[in-house]
Amino acid sequence: MAKLSVRPPPPSSVAAPGAAAARKAGRAPASVHLAHAATARKRRRSFGRPINRKGLAVFTRQLATLVRAGMPILRSLEVLARQDKRPAFKSVIESIGDTIRSGGNFSDGLATHERVFDRLYVNMVKAGEAGGVLDTVLERLAVFMEKAQKIAGKVKAAMIYPVIIVCVATAIVSVLMVFVVPKFQDIFSGLLKGRSLPVLTQGLMNVSHFLKDHFLVALGGAAVAFVLWKFFARLKFGRRAIDWTLIHLPLLGDLFLKAAIARFTRTFGTLLASGVPILQALIITRDTSGNVHVANAINVVHDRVKEGDSVAKPLESTHIFPGMVTSMIEVGEETGALPDMLTRIADTYDEEVDNAVAGLTSIIEPVMIVFMAVVVGLIVVALFLPMVSIIQNLS
């Protein structure tokens, strides 16, 4: 006996009667409501990023927790959108929910918001959907972003004290040069009776007069220098020069290189562990490396892997990555545990970056204090030298 196969009607044939019934009843169909909601959200969009990196890491952690607990992705997004207090990001979450309701995937909704979700985020989610392990991928994404924020937070915290010292020193020196030093010149001109000032004192007086009489010019010159620096950094040649300088600085170069290696290995390892193909993972890692020379090295690896080579050998030929890194990657390739090995390398270098930042913080504090003392001391000595000449004449 032949078996009869009963197929469900296509979605369009099911949705059409409902839409027609809605029209007969004088109501707009659901698709029209979704379109109106999307239009309203476009009107509510604000300029700039709707959410910062820290907020996105918190959102990813909350979403991973809800999905791992068994809640459907659409329901999870609705819960997070309802409790979010940021109108711009709430609109983004609701837009992703509309994409899923209209038949798209979660990754399709993420891809429409490039300002919020980068290629790494979208491709990891896409790999998780394809492999049926979205909860695991979201968990890895949350861990990845939290560790990146932890490193960035430590670097920012380490820079707070030096920045405060520089600002205070600049304010003190500016007040001395604009308001205090000019009064001493009037005193010296009356007591020295036409005799010339010492070289150091005369130089100090010239700088003081320039800052007092041409303060707006000095301020404008600083602004122009800043704009030119930003323009130079945007040029291809300028970006290469800056990135090369950063990884070759006498004291800070090793820190910047270790941070770049940690970022490369953690990003690459997270993508491979999530099921992203190796060539695509290398492209995403290259685009998010943060350093032109590291990106060029990854590009060399991509081309060689595309030809059938391994990762470790071309990586070693670039002379950017230390031998320990390439050796551990080679072992990971031979044992079939490359993602785990990359994560271990990232953990090791993250710890070294933490220790380096702590050591630099302990060195920077006394150096900044000594620098401030030297600057103020030079001003005091420059003002004291004419007093010695005056006392000698009086005696």
Side-chain angles (χ1 to χ4, degrees), residues 142-225:
V143 172
F144 172 80
M145 299 180 74
E146 286 165 356
K147 289 190 175 182
Q149 286 299 312
K150 183 180 178 182
I151 295 295
K154 287 186 177 181
V155 173
K156 289 179 181 178
M159 295 303 296
I160 287 177
Y161 184 80
V163 169
I164 292 175
I165 292 294
V166 169
C167 292
V168 171
T170 303
I172 292 174
V173 172
S174 300
V175 170
L176 289 175
M177 298 295 286
V178 174
F179 298 104
V180 178
V181 173
K183 294 182 179 180
F184 276 88
Q185 184 165 16
D186 298 334
I187 298 172
F188 295 152
S189 60
L191 293 177
L192 289 175
K193 298 178 180 180
R195 289 191 299 273
S196 61
L197 292 169
V199 177
L200 182 61
T201 308
Q202 188 61 53
L204 181 69
M205 294 298 173
N206 294 337
V207 174
S208 175
H209 278 300
F210 178 80
L211 291 177
K212 184 179 179 182
D213 300 336
H214 305 91
F215 180 75
L216 293 179
V217 175
L219 195 62
V224 169

Side-chain angles (χ1 to χ4, degrees), residues 6-327:
V6 180
R7 294 182 180 177
S12 58
S13 64
V14 176
R23 290 191 201 95
K24 288 181 181 179
R27 300 190 311 270
S31 59
V32 177
H33 287 299
L34 289 177
H36 286 315
T39 304
R41 276 190 284 277
K42 286 182 180 178
R43 290 173 184 164
R44 294 204 308 261
R45 279 180 185 170
S46 60
F47 295 101
R49 270 182 82 91
I51 190 172
N52 56 22
R53 292 287 181 184
K54 184 177 181 180
L56 187 59
V58 173
F59 164 78
T60 307
R61 168 58 65 190
Q62 293 173 338
L63 183 62
T65 303
L66 292 174
V67 174
R68 187 172 284 278
M71 186 177 291
I73 185 68
L74 182 58
R75 174 63 178 157
S76 302
L77 291 172
E78 290 172 349
V79 170
L80 294 177
R82 190 167 56 248
Q83 71 180 20
D84 203 287
K85 305 299 181 184
R86 293 156 296 203
F89 188 61
K90 183 175 182 178
S91 175
V92 170
I93 301 174
E94 292 172 349
S95 173
I96 297 171
D98 292 343
T99 302
I100 297 174
R101 290 188 192 94
S102 62
N105 292 325
F106 180 40
S107 58
D108 298 332
L110 297 177
T112 60
H113 299 280
E114 297 178 355
R115 290 188 305 162
V116 183
F117 306 100
D118 55 15
R119 291 180 61 190
L120 183 146
Y121 202 109
V122 174
N123 281 278
M124 283 185 63
V125 169
K126 190 178 293 185
E129 289 174 332
V133 288
L134 183 60
D135 55 342
T136 304
V137 168
L138 287 172
E139 186 74 23
R140 287 181 183 141
L141 255 176
V143 172
F144 172 80
M145 299 180 74
E146 286 165 356
K147 289 190 175 182
Q149 286 299 312
K150 183 180 178 182
I151 295 295
K154 287 186 177 181
V155 173
K156 289 179 181 178
M159 295 303 296
I160 287 177
Y161 184 80
V163 169
I164 292 175
I165 292 294
V166 169
C167 292
V168 171
T170 303
I172 292 174
V173 172
S174 300
V175 170
L176 289 175
M177 298 295 286
V178 174
F179 298 104
V180 178
V181 173
K183 294 182 179 180
F184 276 88
Q185 184 165 16
D186 298 334
I187 298 172
F188 295 152
S189 60
L191 293 177
L192 289 175
K193 298 178 180 180
R195 289 191 299 273
S196 61
L197 292 169
V199 177
L200 182 61
T201 308
Q202 188 61 53
L204 181 69
M205 294 298 173
N206 294 337
V207 174
S208 175
H209 278 300
F210 178 80
L211 291 177
K212 184 179 179 182
D213 300 336
H214 305 91
F215 180 75
L216 293 179
V217 175
L219 195 62
V224 169
F226 177 76
V227 172
L228 289 176
W229 170 260
K230 298 293 288 185
F231 177 74
F232 178 73
R234 288 179 178 271
L235 296 175
K236 188 175 181 180
F237 168 76
R239 188 72 262 168
R240 287 178 61 87
I242 293 172
D243 287 346
W244 187 90
T245 304
L246 286 177
I247 61 177
H248 289 89
L249 286 172
L251 291 176
L252 299 175
D254 193 44
L255 172 62
F256 285 115
L257 182 59
K258 287 179 178 178
I261 293 172
R263 185 173 185 174
F264 158 70
T265 51
R266 188 169 299 284
T267 305
F268 191 32
T270 304
L271 287 167
L272 291 180
S274 302
V276 178
I278 186 168
L279 291 176
Q280 189 176 0
L282 284 169
I283 293 174
I284 297 170
T285 307
R286 178 198 63 193
D287 295 340
T288 58
S289 63
N291 187 288
V292 173
H293 298 279
V294 175
N296 290 338
I298 299 172
N299 205 35
V300 171
V301 175
H302 173 270
D303 294 341
R304 295 278 293 275
V305 170
K306 192 175 182 179
E307 296 173 357
D309 207 342
S310 63
V311 174
K313 290 181 179 179
L315 201 65
E316 185 179 7
S317 66
T318 60
H319 304 293
I320 295 288
F321 295 86
M324 186 196 76
V325 174
T326 56
S327 298

